Amino acid sequence: MSIVTSFRPRTRRNVELLLLLLAVAIVMVAYLNVGLAIDGAFPPDLVKYGSGLLALSVGFHLVLRWRASYADPLLLPIATLLNGLGLVMIHRLDLAHGRTGSNLLAPKQLMWSTLAVIIAAGVLIVLRDHRHLRRFTFTAMALGLGMLLLPLMPGLGRNINGSRIWIGIGPLSFQPGEVAKILLAIFFAGYLVQTRDVLSLVGRRFAGISLPRGQDLGPILIAWLASVGVLVFERDLGSSLMFFGLFVAMLYVATERRSWIAIGMVLFCAGAYVAYLLFGHVQTRVLLWLDPFSAKALAASDQLVKGLMGMAKGGLLGSGLG
């Protein structure tokens, strides 16, 4: 007679908590480093900001223990570390530019971080089963594309540093593309769940590569056109590549067909090349990458050159956050 024993995998929430404490400690050391380098003294608000970051991150950790006990234990500590170091660097820039009071950018960014944590916790509490999102597959697509188009609306979109990816609401500015990333990921996941078998099994082989049917290329062509549109009209190569790369990567994960990667790379490279031939701002971006020290490139932007000089001055290990 065989005996069946139940196996319960470890949640690894304690590992997450330890890594979270380490992440907060690293951020506080970085904040202390800035204070000592700039003012030669301990920052007077070190304990206040450290306690706030700790409470925020541990609070979300407790929500994960309650609602998603088997979630990946690395994501929250990594997000806390990156967000915290970003806040420290913004604080460093506030000090360098002499900002005070309502002009400080670090507290505003901390406010957005707090709001993001609250929304994330709310999603975990309200959404009991992520599979319910499949009912909103095409709604998410429509909302995501709408978010991408918002910066192009007259009077609402803002052109900042050469890219039109912001919208302005009063004194606040916001990138709707950040929300579009989540909405489009929901759409891609829902669509691929519905069409996974067709996309992975049906098609022809050519030169050793499995090619999909013509009618199955529709979604990837739409994603390609959307990404090229972001590149051309919003002048943001990074977001364009990210949106299209997200879809191609999810296609590969869902179907395990390498042909999708090849098709995606060919489509994006072709679209980027045509955009380079037709639009001057794309040519400028390529010039800044190929020859940032040329007179023409410096007249357009010296940001990359400043970054290279800063890295050269700091050496291999850098000179510190101060």
Side-chain angles (χ1 to χ4, degrees), residues 136 298 321:
F136 306 101
L298 289 173
L321 290 171

Side-chain angles (χ1 to χ4, degrees), residues 25-317:
I26 293 174
V27 172
M28 288 301 96
V29 170
Y31 191 78
L32 175 62
N33 187 18
V34 170
L36 293 175
I38 299 296
D39 301 322
F42 281 76
D45 50 5
L46 177 65
V47 176
K48 180 180 71 174
Y49 281 121
S51 301
L53 180 62
L54 183 64
L56 198 63
S57 55
V58 172
F60 191 73
H61 163 77
L62 294 177
V63 174
L64 284 175
R65 278 185 178 269
W66 172 38
R67 298 297 300 163
S69 57
Y70 293 98
D72 192 314
L74 298 178
L75 294 181
L76 180 58
I78 292 174
T80 301
L81 178 62
L82 294 177
N83 187 70
L85 291 177
L87 289 170
V88 170
M89 293 179 182
I90 295 174
H91 169 66
R92 165 68 178 83
L93 293 175
D94 283 340
L95 295 177
H97 292 280
R99 301 189 185 107
T100 58
S102 61
N103 294 322
L104 290 171
L105 297 180
K108 293 180 181 178
Q109 187 62 38
L110 181 59
M111 178 192 69
W112 285 111
S113 298
T114 303
L115 180 61
V117 170
I118 293 173
I119 293 175
V123 170
L124 283 175
I125 294 172
V126 174
L127 187 64
R128 296 182 177 273
D129 189 345
H130 65 276
R131 289 172 293 186
H132 293 323
L133 294 175
R134 290 172 57 183
R135 295 181 295 178
F136 306 101
T137 296
F138 292 98
T139 302
M141 178 195 71
L143 292 175
L145 293 178
M147 286 289 181
L148 286 179
L149 294 175
L150 276 181
L152 299 178
M153 295 182 62
L156 187 62
R158 290 183 178 179
N159 192 321
I160 300 178
N161 296 327
S163 296
R164 195 176 179 85
I165 57 177
W166 301 78
I167 61 173
I169 303 176
L172 301 177
S173 57
F174 170 67
Q175 290 188 32
E178 299 301 320
V179 179
K181 294 174 185 177
I182 300 174
L183 292 171
L184 291 178
I186 294 173
F187 160 66
F188 294 154
Y191 172 78
L192 292 174
V193 166
Q194 298 174 14
T195 60
R196 176 177 181 176
D197 291 338
V198 173
L199 293 173
S200 59
L201 300 177
V202 180
R204 298 179 179 179
R205 293 187 64 84
F206 176 77
I209 299 177
S210 298
L211 298 177
R213 299 180 303 176
Q215 58 264 41
D216 297 329
L217 284 173
I220 195 171
L221 290 176
I222 293 174
W224 171 66
L225 289 173
S227 66
V228 173
V230 171
L231 171 63
V232 171
F233 297 108
E234 298 186 3
R235 304 186 177 187
D236 187 17
L237 177 61
S239 294
S240 173
L241 182 59
M242 193 284 302
F243 286 126
F244 191 64
L246 172 66
F247 186 46
V248 173
M250 293 180 71
L251 264 176
Y252 174 70
V253 170
T255 64
E256 298 183 358
R257 292 179 66 168
R258 287 172 292 182
S259 57
W260 285 115
I261 298 179
I263 293 171
M265 292 181 63
V266 169
L267 284 175
F268 187 83
C269 290
Y273 181 68
V274 172
Y276 170 78
L277 295 178
L278 297 179
F279 301 99
H281 65 272
V282 180
Q283 297 172 12
T284 301
R285 294 298 176 91
V286 174
L287 174 64
L288 291 172
W289 173 55
L290 292 177
D291 191 8
F293 289 92
S294 67
K296 186 176 180 180
L298 289 173
S301 173
D302 61 351
Q303 187 177 22
L304 182 57
V305 171
K306 288 181 178 179
L308 292 172
M309 289 183 174
M311 294 176 65
K313 183 179 179 181
L316 182 62
L317 299 178

